[in-house]
PDB file of all heavy atoms in Angstrom:
ATOM      1  N   ARG A 706     -20.332 -16.862   1.914  1.00  0.00           N
ATOM      2  CA  ARG A 706     -20.545 -18.140   1.289  1.00  0.00           C
ATOM      3  C   ARG A 706     -21.650 -18.944   1.861  1.00  0.00           C
ATOM      4  O   ARG A 706     -22.139 -19.843   1.310  1.00  0.00           O
ATOM      5  CB  ARG A 706     -19.247 -19.045   1.359  1.00  0.00           C
ATOM      6  CG  ARG A 706     -18.144 -18.358   0.441  1.00  0.00           C
ATOM      7  CD  ARG A 706     -16.969 -19.250   0.311  1.00  0.00           C
ATOM      8  NE  ARG A 706     -16.617 -20.293   1.189  1.00  0.00           N
ATOM      9  CZ  ARG A 706     -16.361 -21.553   0.870  1.00  0.00           C
ATOM     10  NH1 ARG A 706     -16.360 -21.805  -0.401  1.00  0.00           N
ATOM     11  NH2 ARG A 706     -16.038 -22.400   1.750  1.00  0.00           N
ATOM     12  N   MET A 707     -22.037 -18.573   3.093  1.00  0.00           N
ATOM     13  CA  MET A 707     -23.104 -19.358   3.782  1.00  0.00           C
ATOM     14  C   MET A 707     -24.455 -18.874   3.268  1.00  0.00           C
ATOM     15  O   MET A 707     -25.465 -19.576   3.678  1.00  0.00           O
ATOM     16  CB  MET A 707     -23.035 -19.139   5.288  1.00  0.00           C
ATOM     17  CG  MET A 707     -23.105 -17.718   5.727  1.00  0.00           C
ATOM     18  SD  MET A 707     -23.209 -17.551   7.469  1.00  0.00           S
ATOM     19  CE  MET A 707     -24.756 -18.218   7.808  1.00  0.00           C
ATOM     20  N   PHE A 708     -24.575 -17.900   2.372  1.00  0.00           N
ATOM     21  CA  PHE A 708     -25.844 -17.495   1.889  1.00  0.00           C
ATOM     22  C   PHE A 708     -25.823 -17.883   0.390  1.00  0.00           C
ATOM     23  O   PHE A 708     -25.003 -17.519  -0.344  1.00  0.00           O
ATOM     24  CB  PHE A 708     -26.067 -16.037   2.008  1.00  0.00           C
ATOM     25  CG  PHE A 708     -26.236 -15.577   3.506  1.00  0.00           C
ATOM     26  CD1 PHE A 708     -25.456 -14.535   3.971  1.00  0.00           C
ATOM     27  CD2 PHE A 708     -27.156 -16.209   4.283  1.00  0.00           C
ATOM     28  CE1 PHE A 708     -25.612 -14.140   5.217  1.00  0.00           C
ATOM     29  CE2 PHE A 708     -27.277 -15.807   5.618  1.00  0.00           C
ATOM     30  CZ  PHE A 708     -26.452 -14.781   6.162  1.00  0.00           C
ATOM     31  N   SER A 709     -26.978 -18.551  -0.015  1.00  0.00           N
ATOM     32  CA  SER A 709     -27.161 -18.839  -1.428  1.00  0.00           C
ATOM     33  C   SER A 709     -27.548 -17.555  -2.135  1.00  0.00           C
ATOM     34  O   SER A 709     -28.437 -16.799  -1.613  1.00  0.00           O
ATOM     35  CB  SER A 709     -28.132 -19.889  -1.648  1.00  0.00           C
ATOM     36  OG  SER A 709     -28.539 -19.901  -2.977  1.00  0.00           O
ATOM     37  N   PHE A 710     -26.985 -17.234  -3.383  1.00  0.00           N
ATOM     38  CA  PHE A 710     -27.450 -16.119  -4.190  1.00  0.00           C
ATOM     39  C   PHE A 710     -28.438 -16.504  -5.188  1.00  0.00           C
ATOM     40  O   PHE A 710     -28.928 -15.761  -5.972  1.00  0.00           O
ATOM     41  CB  PHE A 710     -26.204 -15.512  -4.801  1.00  0.00           C
ATOM     42  CG  PHE A 710     -26.372 -14.103  -5.261  1.00  0.00           C
ATOM     43  CD1 PHE A 710     -26.549 -13.057  -4.418  1.00  0.00           C
ATOM     44  CD2 PHE A 710     -26.362 -13.826  -6.647  1.00  0.00           C
ATOM     45  CE1 PHE A 710     -26.654 -11.806  -4.919  1.00  0.00           C
ATOM     46  CE2 PHE A 710     -26.508 -12.587  -7.184  1.00  0.00           C
ATOM     47  CZ  PHE A 710     -26.709 -11.499  -6.262  1.00  0.00           C
ATOM     48  N   ASP A 711     -28.785 -17.828  -5.173  1.00  0.00           N
ATOM     49  CA  ASP A 711     -29.658 -18.330  -6.297  1.00  0.00           C
ATOM     50  C   ASP A 711     -30.949 -17.672  -6.500  1.00  0.00           C
ATOM     51  O   ASP A 711     -31.407 -17.327  -7.550  1.00  0.00           O
ATOM     52  CB  ASP A 711     -30.063 -19.826  -6.036  1.00  0.00           C
ATOM     53  CG  ASP A 711     -28.761 -20.762  -6.202  1.00  0.00           C
ATOM     54  OD1 ASP A 711     -27.719 -20.248  -6.640  1.00  0.00           O
ATOM     55  OD2 ASP A 711     -28.812 -21.876  -5.986  1.00  0.00           O
ATOM     56  N   ALA A 712     -31.678 -17.340  -5.368  1.00  0.00           N
ATOM     57  CA  ALA A 712     -32.974 -16.729  -5.477  1.00  0.00           C
ATOM     58  C   ALA A 712     -32.873 -15.339  -6.034  1.00  0.00           C
ATOM     59  O   ALA A 712     -33.610 -14.913  -6.824  1.00  0.00           O
ATOM     60  CB  ALA A 712     -33.733 -16.713  -4.185  1.00  0.00           C
ATOM     61  N   ILE A 713     -31.848 -14.568  -5.564  1.00  0.00           N
ATOM     62  CA  ILE A 713     -31.635 -13.262  -6.153  1.00  0.00           C
ATOM     63  C   ILE A 713     -31.254 -13.227  -7.563  1.00  0.00           C
ATOM     64  O   ILE A 713     -31.812 -12.543  -8.431  1.00  0.00           O
ATOM     65  CB  ILE A 713     -30.571 -12.405  -5.262  1.00  0.00           C
ATOM     66  CG1 ILE A 713     -31.114 -12.259  -3.834  1.00  0.00           C
ATOM     67  CG2 ILE A 713     -30.264 -11.159  -5.923  1.00  0.00           C
ATOM     68  CD1 ILE A 713     -30.057 -11.611  -2.931  1.00  0.00           C
ATOM     69  N   GLU A 714     -30.335 -14.195  -7.920  1.00  0.00           N
ATOM     70  CA  GLU A 714     -29.924 -14.450  -9.281  1.00  0.00           C
ATOM     71  C   GLU A 714     -31.135 -14.700 -10.226  1.00  0.00           C
ATOM     72  O   GLU A 714     -31.352 -14.077 -11.367  1.00  0.00           O
ATOM     73  CB  GLU A 714     -28.937 -15.617  -9.433  1.00  0.00           C
ATOM     74  CG  GLU A 714     -28.544 -15.814 -10.779  1.00  0.00           C
ATOM     75  CD  GLU A 714     -27.381 -16.798 -10.936  1.00  0.00           C
ATOM     76  OE1 GLU A 714     -26.721 -17.152  -9.864  1.00  0.00           O
ATOM     77  OE2 GLU A 714     -27.036 -17.188 -12.115  1.00  0.00           O
ATOM     78  N   GLU A 715     -32.090 -15.494  -9.698  1.00  0.00           N
ATOM     79  CA  GLU A 715     -33.282 -15.767 -10.577  1.00  0.00           C
ATOM     80  C   GLU A 715     -34.181 -14.603 -10.737  1.00  0.00           C
ATOM     81  O   GLU A 715     -34.681 -14.318 -11.819  1.00  0.00           O
ATOM     82  CB  GLU A 715     -34.148 -16.940  -9.777  1.00  0.00           C
ATOM     83  CG  GLU A 715     -35.046 -17.644 -10.641  1.00  0.00           C
ATOM     84  CD  GLU A 715     -35.780 -18.705  -9.926  1.00  0.00           C
ATOM     85  OE1 GLU A 715     -35.245 -19.380  -9.016  1.00  0.00           O
ATOM     86  OE2 GLU A 715     -37.022 -18.812 -10.152  1.00  0.00           O
ATOM     87  N   THR A 716     -34.377 -13.782  -9.626  1.00  0.00           N
ATOM     88  CA  THR A 716     -35.110 -12.530  -9.680  1.00  0.00           C
ATOM     89  C   THR A 716     -34.570 -11.622 -10.709  1.00  0.00           C
ATOM     90  O   THR A 716     -35.171 -11.081 -11.586  1.00  0.00           O
ATOM     91  CB  THR A 716     -35.217 -11.851  -8.297  1.00  0.00           C
ATOM     92  OG1 THR A 716     -35.947 -12.709  -7.424  1.00  0.00           O
ATOM     93  CG2 THR A 716     -35.874 -10.471  -8.365  1.00  0.00           C
ATOM     94  N   LEU A 717     -33.160 -11.430 -10.637  1.00  0.00           N
ATOM     95  CA  LEU A 717     -32.537 -10.547 -11.542  1.00  0.00           C
ATOM     96  C   LEU A 717     -32.521 -11.009 -12.954  1.00  0.00           C
ATOM     97  O   LEU A 717     -32.785 -10.248 -13.939  1.00  0.00           O
ATOM     98  CB  LEU A 717     -31.018 -10.345 -11.147  1.00  0.00           C
ATOM     99  CG  LEU A 717     -30.804  -9.740  -9.811  1.00  0.00           C
ATOM    100  CD1 LEU A 717     -29.342  -9.520  -9.444  1.00  0.00           C
ATOM    101  CD2 LEU A 717     -31.462  -8.307  -9.690  1.00  0.00           C
ATOM    102  N   SER A 718     -32.570 -12.289 -13.175  1.00  0.00           N
ATOM    103  CA  SER A 718     -32.651 -12.934 -14.462  1.00  0.00           C
ATOM    104  C   SER A 718     -34.024 -12.590 -15.117  1.00  0.00           C
ATOM    105  O   SER A 718     -34.089 -12.279 -16.363  1.00  0.00           O
ATOM    106  CB  SER A 718     -32.530 -14.352 -14.405  1.00  0.00           C
ATOM    107  OG  SER A 718     -32.910 -15.023 -15.570  1.00  0.00           O
ATOM    108  N   GLY A 719     -34.997 -12.470 -14.301  1.00  0.00           N
ATOM    109  CA  GLY A 719     -36.375 -12.105 -14.818  1.00  0.00           C
ATOM    110  C   GLY A 719     -36.407 -10.707 -15.275  1.00  0.00           C
ATOM    111  O   GLY A 719     -37.329 -10.257 -16.045  1.00  0.00           O
ATOM    112  N   TRP A 720     -35.351  -9.925 -14.950  1.00  0.00           N
ATOM    113  CA  TRP A 720     -35.205  -8.516 -15.440  1.00  0.00           C
ATOM    114  C   TRP A 720     -34.259  -8.324 -16.448  1.00  0.00           C
ATOM    115  O   TRP A 720     -33.719  -7.266 -16.848  1.00  0.00           O
ATOM    116  CB  TRP A 720     -35.017  -7.578 -14.235  1.00  0.00           C
ATOM    117  CG  TRP A 720     -36.238  -7.412 -13.422  1.00  0.00           C
ATOM    118  CD1 TRP A 720     -36.579  -8.118 -12.358  1.00  0.00           C
ATOM    119  CD2 TRP A 720     -37.278  -6.420 -13.579  1.00  0.00           C
ATOM    120  NE1 TRP A 720     -37.789  -7.730 -11.808  1.00  0.00           N
ATOM    121  CE2 TRP A 720     -38.204  -6.716 -12.649  1.00  0.00           C
ATOM    122  CE3 TRP A 720     -37.568  -5.510 -14.576  1.00  0.00           C
ATOM    123  CZ2 TRP A 720     -39.479  -6.020 -12.439  1.00  0.00           C
ATOM    124  CZ3 TRP A 720     -38.815  -4.762 -14.449  1.00  0.00           C
ATOM    125  CH2 TRP A 720     -39.628  -5.061 -13.435  1.00  0.00           C
ATOM    126  N   GLY A 721     -33.802  -9.480 -17.048  1.00  0.00           N
ATOM    127  CA  GLY A 721     -32.857  -9.455 -18.143  1.00  0.00           C
ATOM    128  C   GLY A 721     -31.374  -9.463 -17.748  1.00  0.00           C
ATOM    129  O   GLY A 721     -30.497  -9.063 -18.450  1.00  0.00           O
ATOM    130  N   TYR A 722     -31.061  -9.734 -16.439  1.00  0.00           N
ATOM    131  CA  TYR A 722     -29.767  -9.696 -15.923  1.00  0.00           C
ATOM    132  C   TYR A 722     -29.066 -10.978 -15.945  1.00  0.00           C
ATOM    133  O   TYR A 722     -29.688 -12.022 -15.634  1.00  0.00           O
ATOM    134  CB  TYR A 722     -29.739  -9.116 -14.459  1.00  0.00           C
ATOM    135  CG  TYR A 722     -29.774  -7.567 -14.460  1.00  0.00           C
ATOM    136  CD1 TYR A 722     -30.818  -6.874 -14.814  1.00  0.00           C
ATOM    137  CD2 TYR A 722     -28.680  -6.848 -13.981  1.00  0.00           C
ATOM    138  CE1 TYR A 722     -31.003  -5.493 -14.779  1.00  0.00           C
ATOM    139  CE2 TYR A 722     -28.673  -5.459 -13.839  1.00  0.00           C
ATOM    140  CZ  TYR A 722     -29.805  -4.816 -14.320  1.00  0.00           C
ATOM    141  OH  TYR A 722     -29.805  -3.396 -14.257  1.00  0.00           O
ATOM    142  N   LEU A 723     -27.782 -11.024 -16.267  1.00  0.00           N
ATOM    143  CA  LEU A 723     -26.926 -12.162 -16.185  1.00  0.00           C
ATOM    144  C   LEU A 723     -26.008 -12.064 -14.987  1.00  0.00           C
ATOM    145  O   LEU A 723     -25.355 -10.988 -14.842  1.00  0.00           O
ATOM    146  CB  LEU A 723     -26.042 -12.223 -17.474  1.00  0.00           C
ATOM    147  CG  LEU A 723     -25.144 -13.448 -17.502  1.00  0.00           C
ATOM    148  CD1 LEU A 723     -25.960 -14.730 -17.843  1.00  0.00           C
ATOM    149  CD2 LEU A 723     -24.091 -13.240 -18.664  1.00  0.00           C
ATOM    150  N   THR A 724     -25.973 -13.036 -14.019  1.00  0.00           N
ATOM    151  CA  THR A 724     -25.178 -12.934 -12.864  1.00  0.00           C
ATOM    152  C   THR A 724     -23.909 -13.769 -13.003  1.00  0.00           C
ATOM    153  O   THR A 724     -24.043 -14.961 -13.475  1.00  0.00           O
ATOM    154  CB  THR A 724     -25.964 -13.454 -11.602  1.00  0.00           C
ATOM    155  OG1 THR A 724     -26.956 -12.482 -11.386  1.00  0.00           O
ATOM    156  CG2 THR A 724     -25.029 -13.495 -10.446  1.00  0.00           C
ATOM    157  N   GLU A 725     -22.760 -13.306 -12.773  1.00  0.00           N
ATOM    158  CA  GLU A 725     -21.538 -14.020 -12.779  1.00  0.00           C
ATOM    159  C   GLU A 725     -20.876 -13.944 -11.338  1.00  0.00           C
ATOM    160  O   GLU A 725     -20.879 -12.928 -10.803  1.00  0.00           O
ATOM    161  CB  GLU A 725     -20.584 -13.560 -13.837  1.00  0.00           C
ATOM    162  CG  GLU A 725     -21.123 -13.769 -15.262  1.00  0.00           C
ATOM    163  CD  GLU A 725     -20.697 -12.848 -16.304  1.00  0.00           C
ATOM    164  OE1 GLU A 725     -20.997 -11.644 -16.114  1.00  0.00           O
ATOM    165  OE2 GLU A 725     -19.858 -13.249 -17.113  1.00  0.00           O
ATOM    166  N   LYS A 726     -20.290 -15.082 -10.999  1.00  0.00           N
ATOM    167  CA  LYS A 726     -19.490 -15.103  -9.715  1.00  0.00           C
ATOM    168  C   LYS A 726     -18.006 -15.027 -10.097  1.00  0.00           C
ATOM    169  O   LYS A 726     -17.659 -15.637 -11.094  1.00  0.00           O
ATOM    170  CB  LYS A 726     -19.860 -16.315  -8.895  1.00  0.00           C
ATOM    171  CG  LYS A 726     -19.179 -16.427  -7.550  1.00  0.00           C
ATOM    172  CD  LYS A 726     -19.624 -17.545  -6.720  1.00  0.00           C
ATOM    173  CE  LYS A 726     -18.896 -18.763  -7.030  1.00  0.00           C
ATOM    174  NZ  LYS A 726     -19.152 -19.818  -6.051  1.00  0.00           N
ATOM    175  N   LEU A 727     -17.313 -14.212  -9.308  1.00  0.00           N
ATOM    176  CA  LEU A 727     -15.796 -14.253  -9.529  1.00  0.00           C
ATOM    177  C   LEU A 727     -15.293 -15.527  -8.945  1.00  0.00           C
ATOM    178  O   LEU A 727     -15.112 -15.681  -7.685  1.00  0.00           O
ATOM    179  CB  LEU A 727     -15.157 -13.033  -8.826  1.00  0.00           C
ATOM    180  CG  LEU A 727     -13.765 -12.783  -8.988  1.00  0.00           C
ATOM    181  CD1 LEU A 727     -13.359 -12.613 -10.493  1.00  0.00           C
ATOM    182  CD2 LEU A 727     -13.296 -11.468  -8.306  1.00  0.00           C
ATOM    183  N   ASP A 728     -14.956 -16.480  -9.870  1.00  0.00           N
ATOM    184  CA  ASP A 728     -14.631 -17.819  -9.425  1.00  0.00           C
ATOM    185  C   ASP A 728     -13.259 -17.890  -8.797  1.00  0.00           C
ATOM    186  O   ASP A 728     -12.374 -17.088  -9.116  1.00  0.00           O
ATOM    187  CB  ASP A 728     -14.687 -18.799 -10.602  1.00  0.00           C
ATOM    188  CG  ASP A 728     -16.111 -19.389 -10.757  1.00  0.00           C
ATOM    189  OD1 ASP A 728     -16.845 -19.471  -9.736  1.00  0.00           O
ATOM    190  OD2 ASP A 728     -16.486 -19.745 -11.897  1.00  0.00           O
TER     191      ASP A 728
END
Side-chain angles (χ1 to χ4, degrees):
R706 289 192 341 131
M707 58 174 293
F708 294 127
S709 167
F710 198 68
D711 291 354
I713 295 176
E714 179 171 350
E715 201 182 317
T716 293
L717 296 181
S718 166
W720 289 91
Y722 275 68
L723 180 76
T724 294
E725 292 154 291
K726 185 171 85 170
L727 185 56
D728 272 333

